[in-house]
Amino acid sequence: MIRNPILIAALLASAACGKVNELTNQTRTVAAPREEVFARMFGDGSAFSGLPLVTNGGSTRLYELVVQKGEPGFEKMAPKQRPDAYKVKIAVAMEIPREAHLIYNVDDGALQTGLRFTFDELTPDRTRVTFAVDDLTGAGSDGLTVNRSALHRVARDALRRLDEFDEAEAPA
């Protein structure tokens, strides 16, 4: 009798771990030019629409979204286990169209994690997109689990946009 609930719980836990591992490091190759892939993943209508833009004058674009304690939306972004946090920042650095790096900061780097997308042009009509999750750093980083899942939602949305392209095999 008690064996069934334990078996069901084990199956649910292993299914959830599979989803996390699926997103942890992922590489896909699509039949499209690098610029087109980058624009589809991070252009208009993406999670980055409307973020304030700061530029260094080169090919790198820097987007920043900073939310401080007391502002609307702070509760959604701040870790629940860090009620003393006063500032959350998501910075997005894009080396167009080679790389996109999202960095999630709490209290100016006291806790930090991120997502990195790399766009490799294999041929003029084939692009390999590699996705990786940065290691979590900082004291008390277990409070970031909810916010890491928010970053994973952003990553899933960006990777889902790759479905609009034909899948391609990487050349040998």
Side-chain angles (χ1 to χ4, degrees), residues 128-141:
R128 180 177 51 223
V129 179
T130 306
F131 166 77
V133 177
D134 292 343
D135 288 334
L136 189 62
T137 59
S141 58

Side-chain angles (χ1 to χ4, degrees), residues 38 53-63 93-98:
F38 185 91
L53 170 64
V54 181
T55 182
N56 64 0
S59 62
T60 301
R61 287 196 296 186
L62 304 173
Y63 296 85
M94 295 186 179
E95 181 68 30
I96 300 170
R98 292 175 184 87

Side-chain angles (χ1 to χ4, degrees), residues 27-31 122 126-129 162 166-171:
T27 301
R28 290 185 58 190
T29 303
V30 294
L122 303 175
R126 282 199 191 341
T127 303
R128 180 177 51 223
V129 179
L162 290 178
D166 290 333
E167 198 75 26
E169 289 186 22

Side-chain angles (χ1 to χ4, degrees), residues 15-153:
C17 290
K19 280 290 186 193
V20 170
N21 288 338
E22 173 186 308
L23 192 60
T24 300
N25 293 306
Q26 185 170 341
T27 301
R28 290 185 58 190
T29 303
V30 294
R34 182 172 56 193
E35 290 81 4
E36 191 177 330
V37 172
F38 185 91
R40 181 69 51 101
M41 289 177 70
F42 298 105
D44 290 337
S46 73
F48 306 102
S49 297
L51 284 182
L53 170 64
V54 181
T55 182
N56 64 0
S59 62
T60 301
R61 287 196 296 186
L62 304 173
Y63 296 85
E64 262 186 12
L65 176 62
V66 178
V67 182
Q68 295 194 6
K69 194 169 202 156
E71 292 180 359
F74 182 79
E75 296 78 28
K76 290 181 183 177
M77 294 180 67
K80 300 223 185 301
Q81 295 176 345
R82 291 282 308 257
D84 57 332
Y86 63 91
K87 184 193 308 186
V88 174
K89 177 167 76 172
I90 296 180
V92 183
M94 295 186 179
E95 181 68 30
I96 300 170
R98 292 175 184 87
E99 184 177 277
H101 192 194
L102 291 70
I103 301 168
Y104 175 91
N105 262 330
V106 176
D107 295 338
D108 295 325
L111 297 172
Q112 183 170 305
T113 186
L115 313 172
R116 185 181 302 272
F117 294 91
T118 306
F119 302 87
D120 296 316
E121 186 175 58
L122 303 175
T123 64
D125 64 341
R126 282 199 191 341
T127 303
R128 180 177 51 223
V129 179
T130 306
F131 166 77
V133 177
D134 292 343
D135 288 334
L136 189 62
T137 59
S141 58
D142 56 339
L144 271 175
T145 53
V146 170
N147 299 303
R148 278 176 66 100
S149 68
L151 287 178
H152 282 242
R153 279 193 303 273

